[in-house]
């Protein structure tokens, strides 16, 4: 293992910590190590903004998380990283108002506050786009869906048009390809909800943030969603995927 291991948990595993004291104790010991960095992502925030038990989870997160990863845009090659949980709030005005309201709060109390005031309701925007993409995928296949999603990068001087994936900026490529491959895995009558969107955001952050370990729901590990996206990326490190805490602790604890 390298000098710094960067760990992201799917939200399911943050909630598991709430109900499993022994697992929590092991995780807290691991999180306290100098060679381990625990990351909390915007995708986690989406899920926990509508989850119960937020007060206890805020305590756990504040005591173990090193940095927070705010929402990633659709373009460029850089993403934000912060030690301030207020950075998870995407709306600038809401974030600044929360900053004024929490000026004397510590990290745990700030987390409790932002979970209470936040209501993530953008799933329809994602769902409408996914429905359109799913229709293209069902009718024309994966390559044509990629051509549609990255139409601004198509070389139109030949037939069929060519897509040079290496010309796409890394953030746009990863964000869109996570959704492209998620769509390719959808059942015919499957609908996307906010939990699915949160999972995709967690995957995007895991790929872009040089994360070394992602503890993720088995259904995403089993279908190779991460590998489908990273297979065409050049990376110095390797992202290890774990379906449960047991195998994760065996490797890192």
């Amino acid at each position: 293992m390298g000098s710094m291991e960067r760990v992201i948990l799917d939200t399911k595993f943050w909630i598991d910590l709430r109900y499993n004291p022994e697992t929590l104790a092991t995780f807290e010991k691991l999180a306290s190590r100098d060679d381990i960095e625990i990351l909390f992502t915007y995708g986690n925030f989406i899920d926990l903004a509508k989850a119960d038990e937020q007060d206890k989870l805020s305590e756990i997160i504040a005591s173990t998380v090193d940095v927070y990863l705010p929402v990633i845009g659709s373009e460029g090659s850089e993403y934000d990283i912060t030690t301030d949980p207020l950075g998870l709030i995407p709306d600038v005005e809401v974030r600044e108002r929360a900053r004024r309201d929490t000026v004397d709060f510590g990290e745990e109390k700030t987390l409790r506050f932002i979970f209470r005031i936040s209501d993530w309701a953008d799933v329809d925007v994602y769902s409408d786009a996914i429905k359109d993409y799913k229709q293209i995928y069902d009718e024309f296949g994966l390559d044509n869906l990629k051509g549609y999603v990255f139409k601004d990068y198509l070389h139109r001087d030949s037939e069929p048009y060519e897509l040079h994936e290496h010309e796409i900026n890394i953030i746009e490529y990863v964000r869109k390809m996570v959704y492209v491959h998620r769509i390719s895995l959808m059942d015919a009558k499957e609908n996307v909800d906010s939990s699915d969107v949160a999972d995709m955001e967690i995957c995007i952050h895991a790929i872009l943030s040089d994360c070394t370990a992602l503890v993720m729901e088995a259904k995403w590990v089993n279908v190779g969603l991460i590998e489908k996206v990273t297979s065409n990326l050049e990376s110095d490190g390797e992202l290890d995927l774990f379906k449960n805490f047991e195998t994760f602790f065996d490797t890192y604890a």
Side-chain angles (χ1 to χ4, degrees):
M1 291 188 289
S3 58
M4 179 60 73
E5 307 299 333
R6 311 182 81 212
V7 178
I8 290 177
L9 304 183
D10 183 24
T11 309
K12 171 186 180 299
F13 294 95
W14 282 110
I15 295 173
D16 285 350
L17 292 175
R18 165 69 180 86
Y19 294 102
N20 295 278
E22 291 185 5
T23 303
L24 175 58
T26 303
F27 183 73
E28 287 177 328
K29 183 177 179 180
L30 183 147
S32 68
R33 282 170 32 187
D34 291 337
D35 63 336
I36 297 285
E37 190 171 55
I38 307 298
L39 288 64
F40 186 87
T41 80
Y42 177 68
N44 296 135
F45 179 60
I46 291 173
D47 267 339
L48 293 183
K50 55 185 175 54
D52 295 329
E53 309 291 351
Q54 292 169 341
D55 285 358
K56 181 60 178 178
L57 285 168
S58 294
E59 178 185 343
I60 294 169
I61 293 164
S63 67
T64 57
V65 165
D66 295 289
V67 293
Y68 298 91
L69 301 178
V71 62
I72 294 180
S74 300
E75 300 178 353
S77 58
E78 296 180 353
Y79 59 91
D80 292 331
I81 187 166
T82 179
T83 57
D84 182 1
L86 291 173
L88 295 167
I89 302 174
D91 186 280
V92 175
E93 291 186 6
V94 175
R95 184 168 64 246
E96 291 309 308
R97 186 163 61 248
R99 190 177 306 281
R100 293 192 296 270
D101 291 340
T102 60
V103 65
D104 296 325
F105 292 5
E107 187 171 351
E108 179 186 337
K109 191 174 180 180
T110 298
L111 280 164
R112 294 204 306 266
F113 179 86
I114 65 174
F115 283 139
R116 282 193 173 92
I117 68 168
S118 297
D119 180 19
W120 196 81
D122 291 337
V123 69
D124 289 342
V125 175
Y126 288 83
S127 295
D128 290 344
I130 288 171
K131 288 176 183 176
D132 292 340
Y133 291 174
K134 182 68 164 63
Q135 184 175 357
I136 294 170
Y137 174 79
D138 288 342
E139 293 185 16
F140 303 106
L142 182 63
D143 287 341
N144 283 293
L145 174 58
K146 287 165 64 176
Y148 178 78
V149 169
F150 297 115
K151 54 183 176 291
D152 292 341
Y153 296 91
L154 286 174
H155 289 254
R156 303 174 185 271
D157 50 1
S158 63
E159 288 284 351
Y161 297 156
E162 292 185 2
L163 176 64
H164 296 174
E165 295 184 18
H166 66 277
E167 297 176 348
I168 306 168
N169 75 71
I170 184 66
I171 286 180
E172 181 177 0
Y173 180 80
V174 169
R175 170 168 287 286
K176 290 183 177 179
M177 286 302 290
V178 166
Y179 279 86
V180 163
H181 286 298
R182 171 67 181 93
I183 288 163
S184 74
L185 297 167
M186 288 176 65
D187 295 331
K189 296 183 179 180
E190 184 178 358
N191 293 317
V192 172
D193 60 21
S194 59
S195 293
D196 291 309
V197 173
D199 287 341
M200 298 307 98
E201 294 296 314
I202 291 168
C203 290
I204 291 164
H205 264 122
I207 296 169
L208 290 172
S209 65
D210 294 323
C211 176
T212 52
L214 172 63
V215 189
M216 192 74 181
E217 284 186 80
K219 64 178 180 179
W220 300 125
V221 179
N222 291 341
V223 298
L225 177 63
I226 296 285
E227 294 91 337
K228 291 177 188 294
V229 179
T230 59
S231 60
N232 289 330
L233 297 177
E234 295 182 4
S235 176
D236 295 331
E238 184 175 344
L239 174 56
D240 292 326
L241 304 175
F242 300 93
K243 303 176 189 178
N244 53 62
F245 274 125
E246 288 74 21
T247 53
F248 170 64
F249 290 152
D250 285 344
T251 303
Y252 283 86

mmCIF file of all heavy atoms in Angstrom, residues 119-158:
data_model
loop_
_atom_site.group_PDB
_atom_site.id
_atom_site.type_symbol
_atom_site.label_atom_id
_atom_site.label_comp_id
_atom_site.label_asym_id
_atom_site.label_seq_id
_atom_site.Cartn_x
_atom_site.Cartn_y
_atom_site.Cartn_z
ATOM 1 N N ASP A 119 -32.664 19.542 1.604
ATOM 2 C CA ASP A 119 -33.692 18.706 0.994
ATOM 3 C C ASP A 119 -33.328 18.538 -0.468
ATOM 4 O O ASP A 119 -33.527 19.435 -1.277
ATOM 5 C CB ASP A 119 -35.072 19.345 1.139
ATOM 6 C CG ASP A 119 -36.173 18.498 0.514
ATOM 7 O OD1 ASP A 119 -35.939 17.297 0.309
ATOM 8 O OD2 ASP A 119 -37.254 19.044 0.221
ATOM 9 N N TRP A 120 -32.748 17.400 -0.797
ATOM 10 C CA TRP A 120 -32.273 17.205 -2.163
ATOM 11 C C TRP A 120 -33.433 16.779 -3.046
ATOM 12 O O TRP A 120 -34.007 15.717 -2.856
ATOM 13 C CB TRP A 120 -31.159 16.164 -2.181
ATOM 14 C CG TRP A 120 -30.374 16.201 -3.448
ATOM 15 C CD1 TRP A 120 -29.378 17.047 -3.790
ATOM 16 C CD2 TRP A 120 -30.539 15.328 -4.560
ATOM 17 N NE1 TRP A 120 -28.904 16.771 -5.037
ATOM 18 C CE2 TRP A 120 -29.592 15.713 -5.536
ATOM 19 C CE3 TRP A 120 -31.385 14.249 -4.834
ATOM 20 C CZ2 TRP A 120 -29.475 15.069 -6.764
ATOM 21 C CZ3 TRP A 120 -31.260 13.611 -6.060
ATOM 22 C CH2 TRP A 120 -30.319 14.023 -6.999
ATOM 23 N N ALA A 121 -33.787 17.610 -4.022
ATOM 24 C CA ALA A 121 -34.990 17.359 -4.820
ATOM 25 C C ALA A 121 -34.728 17.459 -6.316
ATOM 26 O O ALA A 121 -35.631 17.707 -7.092
ATOM 27 C CB ALA A 121 -36.087 18.354 -4.419
ATOM 28 N N ASP A 122 -33.480 17.242 -6.749
ATOM 29 C CA ASP A 122 -33.138 17.382 -8.164
ATOM 30 C C ASP A 122 -33.227 16.070 -8.934
ATOM 31 O O ASP A 122 -32.793 15.999 -10.077
ATOM 32 C CB ASP A 122 -31.709 17.925 -8.308
ATOM 33 C CG ASP A 122 -31.606 19.372 -7.835
ATOM 34 O OD1 ASP A 122 -32.649 20.047 -7.818
ATOM 35 O OD2 ASP A 122 -30.501 19.797 -7.496
ATOM 36 N N VAL A 123 -33.788 15.045 -8.323
ATOM 37 C CA VAL A 123 -33.776 13.741 -8.969
ATOM 38 C C VAL A 123 -34.527 13.758 -10.295
ATOM 39 O O VAL A 123 -34.180 13.033 -11.235
ATOM 40 C CB VAL A 123 -34.338 12.654 -8.034
ATOM 41 C CG1 VAL A 123 -35.830 12.835 -7.822
ATOM 42 C CG2 VAL A 123 -34.018 11.273 -8.571
ATOM 43 N N ASP A 124 -35.564 14.587 -10.430
ATOM 44 C CA ASP A 124 -36.321 14.636 -11.678
ATOM 45 C C ASP A 124 -35.459 15.104 -12.841
ATOM 46 O O ASP A 124 -35.622 14.641 -13.976
ATOM 47 C CB ASP A 124 -37.535 15.555 -11.534
ATOM 48 C CG ASP A 124 -38.611 14.955 -10.638
ATOM 49 O OD1 ASP A 124 -38.565 13.729 -10.416
ATOM 50 O OD2 ASP A 124 -39.462 15.704 -10.157
ATOM 51 N N VAL A 125 -34.546 16.037 -12.565
ATOM 52 C CA VAL A 125 -33.648 16.521 -13.615
ATOM 53 C C VAL A 125 -32.793 15.375 -14.127
ATOM 54 O O VAL A 125 -32.616 15.193 -15.334
ATOM 55 C CB VAL A 125 -32.758 17.664 -13.079
ATOM 56 C CG1 VAL A 125 -31.741 18.085 -14.136
ATOM 57 C CG2 VAL A 125 -33.616 18.846 -12.646
ATOM 58 N N TYR A 126 -32.264 14.592 -13.210
ATOM 59 C CA TYR A 126 -31.444 13.443 -13.587
ATOM 60 C C TYR A 126 -32.307 12.378 -14.256
ATOM 61 O O TYR A 126 -31.908 11.772 -15.257
ATOM 62 C CB TYR A 126 -30.761 12.845 -12.362
ATOM 63 C CG TYR A 126 -29.646 13.689 -11.796
ATOM 64 C CD1 TYR A 126 -29.908 14.751 -10.935
ATOM 65 C CD2 TYR A 126 -28.323 13.421 -12.116
ATOM 66 C CE1 TYR A 126 -28.871 15.517 -10.409
ATOM 67 C CE2 TYR A 126 -27.283 14.179 -11.599
ATOM 68 C CZ TYR A 126 -27.570 15.219 -10.743
ATOM 69 O OH TYR A 126 -26.557 15.981 -10.228
ATOM 70 N N SER A 127 -33.492 12.130 -13.720
ATOM 71 C CA SER A 127 -34.348 11.073 -14.237
ATOM 72 C C SER A 127 -34.763 11.342 -15.674
ATOM 73 O O SER A 127 -34.787 10.430 -16.510
ATOM 74 C CB SER A 127 -35.590 10.920 -13.361
ATOM 75 O OG SER A 127 -35.244 10.480 -12.071
ATOM 76 N N ASP A 128 -35.103 12.591 -15.990
ATOM 77 C CA ASP A 128 -35.527 12.932 -17.351
ATOM 78 C C ASP A 128 -34.400 12.690 -18.342
ATOM 79 O O ASP A 128 -34.620 12.136 -19.429
ATOM 80 C CB ASP A 128 -35.981 14.393 -17.417
ATOM 81 C CG ASP A 128 -37.293 14.635 -16.676
ATOM 82 O OD1 ASP A 128 -37.985 13.644 -16.378
ATOM 83 O OD2 ASP A 128 -37.600 15.803 -16.389
ATOM 84 N N ALA A 129 -33.189 13.100 -17.978
ATOM 85 C CA ALA A 129 -32.041 12.884 -18.863
ATOM 86 C C ALA A 129 -31.764 11.390 -19.027
ATOM 87 O O ALA A 129 -31.479 10.919 -20.136
ATOM 88 C CB ALA A 129 -30.815 13.602 -18.317
ATOM 89 N N ILE A 130 -31.860 10.650 -17.928
ATOM 90 C CA ILE A 130 -31.592 9.216 -17.984
ATOM 91 C C ILE A 130 -32.625 8.501 -18.853
ATOM 92 O O ILE A 130 -32.294 7.582 -19.615
ATOM 93 C CB ILE A 130 -31.554 8.632 -16.559
ATOM 94 C CG1 ILE A 130 -30.267 9.094 -15.856
ATOM 95 C CG2 ILE A 130 -31.631 7.115 -16.575
ATOM 96 C CD1 ILE A 130 -30.207 8.767 -14.389
ATOM 97 N N LYS A 131 -33.876 8.917 -18.781
ATOM 98 C CA LYS A 131 -34.907 8.321 -19.633
ATOM 99 C C LYS A 131 -34.592 8.543 -21.104
ATOM 100 O O LYS A 131 -34.742 7.636 -21.931
ATOM 101 C CB LYS A 131 -36.274 8.905 -19.280
ATOM 102 C CG LYS A 131 -36.831 8.437 -17.954
ATOM 103 C CD LYS A 131 -38.144 9.146 -17.627
ATOM 104 C CE LYS A 131 -38.655 8.727 -16.264
ATOM 105 N NZ LYS A 131 -39.890 9.476 -15.887
ATOM 106 N N ASP A 132 -34.139 9.756 -21.442
ATOM 107 C CA ASP A 132 -33.780 10.049 -22.833
ATOM 108 C C ASP A 132 -32.596 9.194 -23.265
ATOM 109 O O ASP A 132 -32.591 8.623 -24.366
ATOM 110 C CB ASP A 132 -33.429 11.540 -22.991
ATOM 111 C CG ASP A 132 -34.632 12.447 -22.818
ATOM 112 O OD1 ASP A 132 -35.771 11.945 -22.956
ATOM 113 O OD2 ASP A 132 -34.437 13.643 -22.544
ATOM 114 N N TYR A 133 -31.592 9.108 -22.410
ATOM 115 C CA TYR A 133 -30.411 8.313 -22.737
ATOM 116 C C TYR A 133 -30.760 6.831 -22.857
ATOM 117 O O TYR A 133 -30.231 6.115 -23.719
ATOM 118 C CB TYR A 133 -29.323 8.497 -21.673
ATOM 119 C CG TYR A 133 -28.682 9.863 -21.632
ATOM 120 C CD1 TYR A 133 -27.767 10.187 -20.632
ATOM 121 C CD2 TYR A 133 -28.987 10.838 -22.574
ATOM 122 C CE1 TYR A 133 -27.160 11.440 -20.587
ATOM 123 C CE2 TYR A 133 -28.395 12.092 -22.529
ATOM 124 C CZ TYR A 133 -27.486 12.392 -21.523
ATOM 125 O OH TYR A 133 -26.895 13.626 -21.478
ATOM 126 N N LYS A 134 -31.649 6.363 -21.971
ATOM 127 C CA LYS A 134 -32.045 4.946 -21.995
ATOM 128 C C LYS A 134 -32.741 4.606 -23.313
ATOM 129 O O LYS A 134 -32.517 3.519 -23.885
ATOM 130 C CB LYS A 134 -32.982 4.646 -20.826
ATOM 131 C CG LYS A 134 -33.420 3.176 -20.722
ATOM 132 C CD LYS A 134 -32.256 2.281 -20.339
ATOM 133 C CE LYS A 134 -32.708 0.908 -19.842
ATOM 134 N NZ LYS A 134 -33.419 0.120 -20.856
ATOM 135 N N GLN A 135 -33.552 5.504 -23.811
ATOM 136 C CA GLN A 135 -34.240 5.272 -25.079
ATOM 137 C C GLN A 135 -33.227 5.152 -26.224
ATOM 138 O O GLN A 135 -33.347 4.276 -27.090
ATOM 139 C CB GLN A 135 -35.225 6.397 -25.365
ATOM 140 C CG GLN A 135 -36.049 6.169 -26.630
ATOM 141 C CD GLN A 135 -37.104 7.238 -26.825
ATOM 142 O OE1 GLN A 135 -37.279 8.122 -25.998
ATOM 143 N NE2 GLN A 135 -37.819 7.156 -27.933
ATOM 144 N N ILE A 136 -32.226 6.022 -26.217
ATOM 145 C CA ILE A 136 -31.186 5.956 -27.248
ATOM 146 C C ILE A 136 -30.412 4.646 -27.135
ATOM 147 O O ILE A 136 -30.142 3.984 -28.146
ATOM 148 C CB ILE A 136 -30.225 7.164 -27.110
ATOM 149 C CG1 ILE A 136 -30.982 8.454 -27.424
ATOM 150 C CG2 ILE A 136 -29.018 7.008 -28.034
ATOM 151 C CD1 ILE A 136 -30.202 9.710 -27.088
ATOM 152 N N TYR A 137 -30.074 4.274 -25.911
ATOM 153 C CA TYR A 137 -29.333 3.018 -25.704
ATOM 154 C C TYR A 137 -30.143 1.821 -26.197
ATOM 155 O O TYR A 137 -29.615 0.944 -26.889
ATOM 156 C CB TYR A 137 -28.984 2.848 -24.224
ATOM 157 C CG TYR A 137 -28.357 1.511 -23.913
ATOM 158 C CD1 TYR A 137 -27.016 1.276 -24.186
ATOM 159 C CD2 TYR A 137 -29.115 0.471 -23.368
ATOM 160 C CE1 TYR A 137 -26.428 0.035 -23.919
ATOM 161 C CE2 TYR A 137 -28.544 -0.762 -23.094
ATOM 162 C CZ TYR A 137 -27.201 -0.973 -23.373
ATOM 163 O OH TYR A 137 -26.637 -2.192 -23.119
ATOM 164 N N ASP A 138 -31.427 1.758 -25.844
ATOM 165 C CA ASP A 138 -32.265 0.621 -26.228
ATOM 166 C C ASP A 138 -32.414 0.521 -27.748
ATOM 167 O O ASP A 138 -32.470 -0.582 -28.308
ATOM 168 C CB ASP A 138 -33.645 0.739 -25.582
ATOM 169 C CG ASP A 138 -33.609 0.477 -24.080
ATOM 170 O OD1 ASP A 138 -32.623 -0.111 -23.607
ATOM 171 O OD2 ASP A 138 -34.566 0.876 -23.393
ATOM 172 N N GLU A 139 -32.485 1.667 -28.430
ATOM 173 C CA GLU A 139 -32.732 1.666 -29.869
ATOM 174 C C GLU A 139 -31.454 1.549 -30.696
ATOM 175 O O GLU A 139 -31.444 0.926 -31.761
ATOM 176 C CB GLU A 139 -33.490 2.933 -30.276
ATOM 177 C CG GLU A 139 -34.915 3.002 -29.734
ATOM 178 C CD GLU A 139 -35.680 4.201 -30.252
ATOM 179 O OE1 GLU A 139 -35.224 4.813 -31.248
ATOM 180 O OE2 GLU A 139 -36.720 4.544 -29.670
ATOM 181 N N PHE A 140 -30.362 2.153 -30.186
ATOM 182 C CA PHE A 140 -29.173 2.281 -31.034
ATOM 183 C C PHE A 140 -27.897 1.712 -30.434
ATOM 184 O O PHE A 140 -26.873 1.655 -31.113
ATOM 185 C CB PHE A 140 -28.947 3.759 -31.381
ATOM 186 C CG PHE A 140 -30.117 4.407 -32.055
ATOM 187 C CD1 PHE A 140 -30.923 5.304 -31.373
ATOM 188 C CD2 PHE A 140 -30.436 4.090 -33.371
ATOM 189 C CE1 PHE A 140 -32.006 5.901 -31.989
ATOM 190 C CE2 PHE A 140 -31.526 4.683 -33.995
ATOM 191 C CZ PHE A 140 -32.321 5.585 -33.311
ATOM 192 N N GLY A 141 -27.904 1.315 -29.147
ATOM 193 C CA GLY A 141 -26.750 0.672 -28.562
ATOM 194 C C GLY A 141 -25.786 1.619 -27.870
ATOM 195 O O GLY A 141 -25.929 2.844 -27.917
ATOM 196 N N LEU A 142 -24.764 1.021 -27.237
ATOM 197 C CA LEU A 142 -23.835 1.763 -26.383
ATOM 198 C C LEU A 142 -23.005 2.786 -27.150
ATOM 199 O O LEU A 142 -22.862 3.929 -26.723
ATOM 200 C CB LEU A 142 -22.906 0.781 -25.658
ATOM 201 C CG LEU A 142 -21.901 1.386 -24.674
ATOM 202 C CD1 LEU A 142 -22.617 2.074 -23.519
ATOM 203 C CD2 LEU A 142 -20.961 0.301 -24.131
ATOM 204 N N ASP A 143 -22.441 2.393 -28.279
ATOM 205 C CA ASP A 143 -21.574 3.309 -29.021
ATOM 206 C C ASP A 143 -22.334 4.550 -29.477
ATOM 207 O O ASP A 143 -21.803 5.672 -29.442
ATOM 208 C CB ASP A 143 -20.948 2.612 -30.226
ATOM 209 C CG ASP A 143 -19.860 1.626 -29.819
ATOM 210 O OD1 ASP A 143 -19.349 1.756 -28.684
ATOM 211 O OD2 ASP A 143 -19.531 0.740 -30.624
ATOM 212 N N ASN A 144 -23.564 4.373 -29.928
ATOM 213 C CA ASN A 144 -24.356 5.518 -30.367
ATOM 214 C C ASN A 144 -24.767 6.401 -29.195
ATOM 215 O O ASN A 144 -24.854 7.620 -29.331
ATOM 216 C CB ASN A 144 -25.590 5.054 -31.140
ATOM 217 C CG ASN A 144 -25.247 4.632 -32.549
ATOM 218 O OD1 ASN A 144 -24.849 5.447 -33.386
ATOM 219 N ND2 ASN A 144 -25.374 3.344 -32.814
ATOM 220 N N LEU A 145 -25.004 5.789 -28.028
ATOM 221 C CA LEU A 145 -25.296 6.598 -26.843
ATOM 222 C C LEU A 145 -24.082 7.442 -26.474
ATOM 223 O O LEU A 145 -24.211 8.634 -26.179
ATOM 224 C CB LEU A 145 -25.697 5.713 -25.671
ATOM 225 C CG LEU A 145 -25.897 6.441 -24.330
ATOM 226 C CD1 LEU A 145 -26.953 7.540 -24.442
ATOM 227 C CD2 LEU A 145 -26.279 5.446 -23.228
ATOM 228 N N LYS A 146 -22.887 6.856 -26.504
ATOM 229 C CA LYS A 146 -21.671 7.617 -26.221
ATOM 230 C C LYS A 146 -21.501 8.736 -27.231
ATOM 231 O O LYS A 146 -21.105 9.854 -26.875
ATOM 232 C CB LYS A 146 -20.455 6.683 -26.243
ATOM 233 C CG LYS A 146 -20.371 5.769 -25.034
ATOM 234 C CD LYS A 146 -19.396 4.636 -25.256
ATOM 235 C CE LYS A 146 -17.985 5.124 -25.439
ATOM 236 N NZ LYS A 146 -17.041 3.979 -25.551
ATOM 237 N N GLY A 147 -21.802 8.471 -28.496
ATOM 238 C CA GLY A 147 -21.717 9.519 -29.513
ATOM 239 C C GLY A 147 -22.674 10.653 -29.236
ATOM 240 O O GLY A 147 -22.332 11.830 -29.430
ATOM 241 N N TYR A 148 -23.862 10.332 -28.724
ATOM 242 C CA TYR A 148 -24.837 11.373 -28.407
ATOM 243 C C TYR A 148 -24.399 12.177 -27.179
ATOM 244 O O TYR A 148 -24.457 13.413 -27.177
ATOM 245 C CB TYR A 148 -26.206 10.740 -28.151
ATOM 246 C CG TYR A 148 -27.263 11.742 -27.760
ATOM 247 C CD1 TYR A 148 -27.868 12.544 -28.720
ATOM 248 C CD2 TYR A 148 -27.646 11.894 -26.428
ATOM 249 C CE1 TYR A 148 -28.828 13.488 -28.361
ATOM 250 C CE2 TYR A 148 -28.603 12.823 -26.063
ATOM 251 C CZ TYR A 148 -29.187 13.615 -27.039
ATOM 252 O OH TYR A 148 -30.135 14.542 -26.674
ATOM 253 N N VAL A 149 -23.955 11.473 -26.152
ATOM 254 C CA VAL A 149 -23.551 12.136 -24.918
ATOM 255 C C VAL A 149 -22.347 13.048 -25.147
ATOM 256 O O VAL A 149 -22.256 14.138 -24.568
ATOM 257 C CB VAL A 149 -23.234 11.073 -23.842
ATOM 258 C CG1 VAL A 149 -22.553 11.702 -22.636
ATOM 259 C CG2 VAL A 149 -24.510 10.367 -23.400
ATOM 260 N N PHE A 150 -21.434 12.619 -26.011
ATOM 261 C CA PHE A 150 -20.223 13.403 -26.287
ATOM 262 C C PHE A 150 -20.250 13.975 -27.701
ATOM 263 O O PHE A 150 -19.224 14.051 -28.377
ATOM 264 C CB PHE A 150 -18.983 12.523 -26.109
ATOM 265 C CG PHE A 150 -18.789 12.004 -24.715
ATOM 266 C CD1 PHE A 150 -18.863 10.645 -24.447
ATOM 267 C CD2 PHE A 150 -18.530 12.877 -23.662
ATOM 268 C CE1 PHE A 150 -18.675 10.158 -23.159
ATOM 269 C CE2 PHE A 150 -18.345 12.398 -22.366
ATOM 270 C CZ PHE A 150 -18.413 11.039 -22.121
ATOM 271 N N LYS A 151 -21.416 14.413 -28.139
ATOM 272 C CA LYS A 151 -21.564 14.861 -29.532
ATOM 273 C C LYS A 151 -20.659 16.036 -29.883
ATOM 274 O O LYS A 151 -20.266 16.201 -31.050
ATOM 275 C CB LYS A 151 -23.025 15.217 -29.822
ATOM 276 C CG LYS A 151 -23.680 16.207 -28.888
ATOM 277 C CD LYS A 151 -25.150 16.391 -29.268
ATOM 278 C CE LYS A 151 -25.890 17.304 -28.305
ATOM 279 N NZ LYS A 151 -26.058 16.668 -26.981
ATOM 280 N N ASP A 152 -20.305 16.857 -28.907
ATOM 281 C CA ASP A 152 -19.423 17.995 -29.184
ATOM 282 C C ASP A 152 -18.009 17.558 -29.526
ATOM 283 O O ASP A 152 -17.206 18.359 -30.017
ATOM 284 C CB ASP A 152 -19.383 18.949 -27.978
ATOM 285 C CG ASP A 152 -20.705 19.651 -27.748
ATOM 286 O OD1 ASP A 152 -21.528 19.696 -28.686
ATOM 287 O OD2 ASP A 152 -20.928 20.130 -26.619
ATOM 288 N N TYR A 153 -17.681 16.308 -29.258
ATOM 289 C CA TYR A 153 -16.322 15.810 -29.504
ATOM 290 C C TYR A 153 -16.251 14.908 -30.742
ATOM 291 O O TYR A 153 -15.181 14.391 -31.063
ATOM 292 C CB TYR A 153 -15.824 15.019 -28.290
ATOM 293 C CG TYR A 153 -15.694 15.858 -27.039
ATOM 294 C CD1 TYR A 153 -16.753 15.977 -26.151
ATOM 295 C CD2 TYR A 153 -14.515 16.530 -26.739
ATOM 296 C CE1 TYR A 153 -16.643 16.755 -24.995
ATOM 297 C CE2 TYR A 153 -14.386 17.294 -25.594
ATOM 298 C CZ TYR A 153 -15.464 17.399 -24.729
ATOM 299 O OH TYR A 153 -15.345 18.166 -23.587
ATOM 300 N N LEU A 154 -17.373 14.713 -31.431
ATOM 301 C CA LEU A 154 -17.376 13.838 -32.594
ATOM 302 C C LEU A 154 -16.602 14.454 -33.759
ATOM 303 O O LEU A 154 -16.704 15.656 -34.023
ATOM 304 C CB LEU A 154 -18.812 13.567 -33.034
ATOM 305 C CG LEU A 154 -19.644 12.613 -32.168
ATOM 306 C CD1 LEU A 154 -21.076 12.568 -32.675
ATOM 307 C CD2 LEU A 154 -19.046 11.220 -32.130
ATOM 308 N N HIS A 155 -15.822 13.646 -34.423
ATOM 309 C CA HIS A 155 -15.156 14.067 -35.656
ATOM 310 C C HIS A 155 -16.083 13.703 -36.814
ATOM 311 O O HIS A 155 -16.333 12.527 -37.078
ATOM 312 C CB HIS A 155 -13.805 13.357 -35.792
ATOM 313 C CG HIS A 155 -12.789 13.840 -34.804
ATOM 314 N ND1 HIS A 155 -11.735 14.651 -35.152
ATOM 315 C CD2 HIS A 155 -12.663 13.641 -33.466
ATOM 316 C CE1 HIS A 155 -10.995 14.912 -34.088
ATOM 317 N NE2 HIS A 155 -11.550 14.311 -33.041
ATOM 318 N N ARG A 156 -16.569 14.718 -37.502
ATOM 319 C CA ARG A 156 -17.618 14.518 -38.500
ATOM 320 C C ARG A 156 -17.082 14.513 -39.931
ATOM 321 O O ARG A 156 -17.847 14.679 -40.886
ATOM 322 C CB ARG A 156 -18.677 15.615 -38.342
ATOM 323 C CG ARG A 156 -19.289 15.661 -36.934
ATOM 324 C CD ARG A 156 -20.228 16.836 -36.733
ATOM 325 N NE ARG A 156 -20.696 16.935 -35.363
ATOM 326 C CZ ARG A 156 -21.789 16.313 -34.898
ATOM 327 N NH1 ARG A 156 -22.508 15.557 -35.702
ATOM 328 N NH2 ARG A 156 -22.145 16.443 -33.629
ATOM 329 N N ASP A 157 -15.779 14.348 -40.083
ATOM 330 C CA ASP A 157 -15.195 14.369 -41.426
ATOM 331 C C ASP A 157 -15.123 12.978 -42.052
ATOM 332 O O ASP A 157 -14.453 12.773 -43.064
ATOM 333 C CB ASP A 157 -13.794 14.989 -41.398
ATOM 334 C CG ASP A 157 -12.905 14.382 -40.323
ATOM 335 O OD1 ASP A 157 -13.374 13.474 -39.627
ATOM 336 O OD2 ASP A 157 -11.747 14.828 -40.186
ATOM 337 N N SER A 158 -15.779 12.016 -41.410
ATOM 338 C CA SER A 158 -15.821 10.673 -41.962
ATOM 339 C C SER A 158 -17.125 10.012 -41.540
ATOM 340 O O SER A 158 -17.812 10.470 -40.633
ATOM 341 C CB SER A 158 -14.622 9.851 -41.476
ATOM 342 O OG SER A 158 -14.672 9.692 -40.065
#
